[in-house]
Amino acid sequence: MSNIQAYLRPDSLEGALALLAEHQERARPLAGGTSLIFSHPPRVEVLVDLAGAGLDHVEHAETGGVDIGSMTSCSHLATALRGRQLDKSALTDALATLYTPVLRNHITVGGNCVMVYGWSHLPVTMWALDARFMVVSHKAKPRDVDADTFFERHPLRWLGAGELLTQITVKSPAEGSGSAFLKFGRDKSDEGIASVAVSLRLQDEKVASARLVVGSTRPMPQKLDDVAALVVGKRPSKEVFAEAGEAAAKAVVASDNYLGSADYRRHIVASLVRDALAKATQRAGGAA
Amino acid sequence: MKIRLQINGNTRELETTPTRTLLDVLRDAGYYGVKRGCEEGTCGSCVVLMDGEPHMACLIFAPAAVGKAITTIEDPDGDRPHAILRALADAGAVQCGYCIPGMALSAKALLDATPDPNEEEIRGAMEGHLCRCTGYVKQVEAIKRAAELMREEASHE
């Protein structure tokens, strides 16, 4: 990485944005650093360390939602969610199995959402939870981006030079709602062979709405609206959820890698979707 | 570039480039207890504490450690061997010893936050620390014993 000549640590968000605007493509914001330390971005000459930008915070709304500063580490977020309304949700499931405890001290929530690797749990989860993303840049109006837009393409492909993700908002869970994240890997903390995040809401003992996202079967997560629609309007049951699992296995795009073949990943997805729907239903106060 | 790091309670002015890792800079400064293992955040042998929290020194650009209180295995908590190190030795948990500095520091972070951890919590804190010699059982026993020793020492203070 000899092309990187300068390491800058501004003491404010405004300072960081000004530096990113000044250096444009030559600058790269530095969050947890776990990506940049391995990559060799050819045109990057300046690192802008965001540690002093005031983005390490978790603010709980009275209604149970949470605003998460993008520099918050995964371990700090997990601690902040203990005993809160989002405890025992897809978000805490994902945080508890995102690599190892030591790595969770490094990995930031914002970095995990923006970099989107196959092992990234938070894009899968935040998409299923319909999170919102605040993107700011120097002298431009902040953009409040919904999850569908944020993850439609890899964020690095549409975030402009000088744009920064500063906050992720997870709204308060509606009454009768539940969510779950499940991963299948070689062990608890390993990269997933497949992962699934589900959020749903029950009303009158039926599924009133559902969101379902599959991760790890390829680098970008996949939101399967047609599969989620299969459970909406139905009473939760093992049969309904198994049917959704089979449909997800057919719909999902999977690739081969050293962890498993595409066919094997699809097989795993079927089970994970079935089980995640059951777990989310249980958390919503229902039974399958 | 020169950076000032707080290491084991001392301020050190050290030379680095923007992208040298904390692992490289610490070892060049003589902190050989910070072990070079996988260099990709997988093995845990380079773990140091930063503000009391375990971090992989191989995953941190050295300038990112400015302003943090860094603890290496060379001096955790003073002059006599720490209860964790004594317990690891007494339990026979050390064979080649390469993984021990990182494990001991993660154990210290655990016991500082959770003075009486159960086995699940100990095993959880050891996730990401690879040991090729001992099979982990002795280390878990040692950390349980260290917790007892630390509680006894605290009660005598």
Side-chain angles (χ1 to χ4, degrees):
Chain A
M1 287 217 270
S2 56
N3 50 307
I4 294 177
Q5 302 298 320
Y7 188 104
L8 308 174
R9 184 186 277 187
D11 58 9
S12 67
L13 176 59
E14 292 71 24
L17 295 173
L19 287 169
L20 291 171
E22 177 187 345
H23 295 285
Q24 291 287 302
E25 284 86 0
R26 293 190 302 114
R28 184 64 66 87
L30 178 68
T34 51
S35 300
L36 267 174
I37 209 140
F38 297 123
S39 64
H40 298 255
R43 288 183 298 174
V44 174
E45 296 171 12
V46 177
L47 294 181
V48 179
D49 185 341
L50 302 178
L55 298 174
D56 180 358
H57 57 83
V58 179
E59 287 158 30
H60 299 276
E62 284 183 16
T63 49
V66 65
D67 292 332
I68 307 159
S70 57
M71 283 289 286
T72 305
S73 72
C74 290
S75 55
H76 287 187
L77 177 59
T79 302
L81 292 176
R82 257 179 229 148
R84 298 283 182 163
Q85 204 171 343
L86 280 165
D87 203 355
K88 296 186 173 58
S89 69
L91 188 50
T92 46
D93 293 341
L95 291 167
T97 56
L98 179 56
Y99 265 116
T100 62
V102 180
L103 273 169
R104 294 198 283 273
N105 293 335
H106 287 258
I107 298 168
T108 62
V109 177
N112 202 244
C113 286
V114 168
M115 297 311 292
V116 193
Y117 296 106
W119 55 264
S120 307
H121 292 180
L122 295 183
V124 185
T125 308
M126 295 297 189
W127 203 356
L129 292 174
D130 201 13
R132 298 198 72 87
F133 300 81
M134 188 61 70
V135 174
V136 303
S137 59
H138 190 52
K139 293 183 177 171
K141 200 175 168 187
R143 291 201 282 160
D144 180 13
V145 180
D146 63 38
D148 285 351
T149 306
F150 197 88
F151 295 117
E152 187 179 20
R153 289 185 298 143
H154 196 293
L156 287 183
R157 291 186 183 275
W158 62 264
L159 278 170
E163 281 198 313
L164 201 61
L165 170 65
T166 56
Q167 181 171 293
I168 302 101
T169 298
V170 180
K171 62 188 173 187
S172 55
E175 193 172 335
S177 67
S179 65
F181 170 90
L182 292 177
K183 173 182 79 172
F184 183 79
R186 293 177 299 186
D187 63 37
K188 180 185 167 191
S189 56
D190 196 18
E191 182 176 342
I193 293 168
S195 60
V196 169
V198 164
S199 69
L200 53 76
R201 186 171 60 84
L202 302 178
Q203 192 170 15
D204 300 329
E205 298 182 2
K206 290 181 180 174
V207 179
S209 63
R211 293 171 70 90
L212 193 158
V213 180
V214 174
S216 304
T217 61
R218 62 171 192 176
M220 281 297 287
Q222 298 161 77
K223 181 159 166 270
L224 303 180
D225 290 342
D226 290 346
V227 177
L230 289 174
V231 303
V232 174
K234 293 182 182 166
R235 287 181 187 279
S237 72
K238 288 177 183 171
E239 293 73 24
V240 167
F241 293 163
E243 184 189 351
E246 293 303 324
K250 286 181 185 153
V252 76
V253 177
S255 53
D256 300 323
N257 78 359
Y258 70 101
L259 290 169
S261 67
D263 281 347
Y264 181 58
R265 287 165 187 268
R266 279 190 284 270
H267 176 73
I268 297 297
V269 164
S271 300
L272 291 180
V273 165
R274 179 196 66 206
D275 294 348
L277 284 165
K279 191 171 181 181
T281 298
Q282 190 181 35
R283 285 174 169 171
Chain B
M1 63 187 287
K2 283 197 182 333
I3 55 172
R4 289 162 73 89
L5 297 181
Q6 297 289 326
I7 308 168
N8 300 332
N10 301 311
T11 302
R12 296 282 307 268
E13 188 168 274
L14 301 169
E15 188 68 36
T16 185
T17 66
T19 55
R20 286 200 86 205
T21 65
L22 182 60
L23 169 65
D24 285 333
V25 169
L26 287 174
R27 287 186 63 83
D28 281 358
Y31 298 95
Y32 299 119
V34 189
K35 297 299 181 194
R36 187 187 303 282
C38 66
E39 296 188 85
E40 58 178 25
T42 302
C43 75
S45 59
C46 68
V47 159
V48 297
L49 302 184
M50 287 173 58
D51 291 342
E53 202 173 62
H55 285 266
M56 311 264 194
C58 72
L59 293 184
I60 299 168
F61 294 123
V66 171
K68 305 277 189 184
I70 300 165
T71 306
T72 73
I73 197 65
E74 274 78 5
D75 189 18
D77 284 3
D79 298 331
R80 66 190 290 244
H82 193 279
I84 295 167
L85 301 179
R86 284 183 275 131
L88 284 163
D90 290 347
V94 183
Q95 193 167 315
C96 88
Y98 206 80
C99 64
I100 292 299
M103 277 194 179
L105 289 169
S106 277
K108 178 172 170 11
L110 170 71
L111 298 181
D112 286 346
T114 312
D116 189 12
N118 60 33
E119 181 161 335
E120 187 184 352
E121 288 168 322
I122 294 171
R123 287 186 177 275
M126 290 300 107
E127 266 180 56
H129 287 278
L130 301 184
C131 170
R132 296 299 186 204
C133 304
T134 66
Y136 307 102
V137 173
K138 294 292 184 187
Q139 282 108 337
V140 173
E141 289 173 0
I143 294 166
K144 280 183 197 164
R145 176 65 186 140
E148 290 169 6
L149 291 171
M150 288 170 70
R151 290 200 301 274
E152 284 169 20
E153 287 173 3
S155 69
H156 292 145
E157 283 172 1

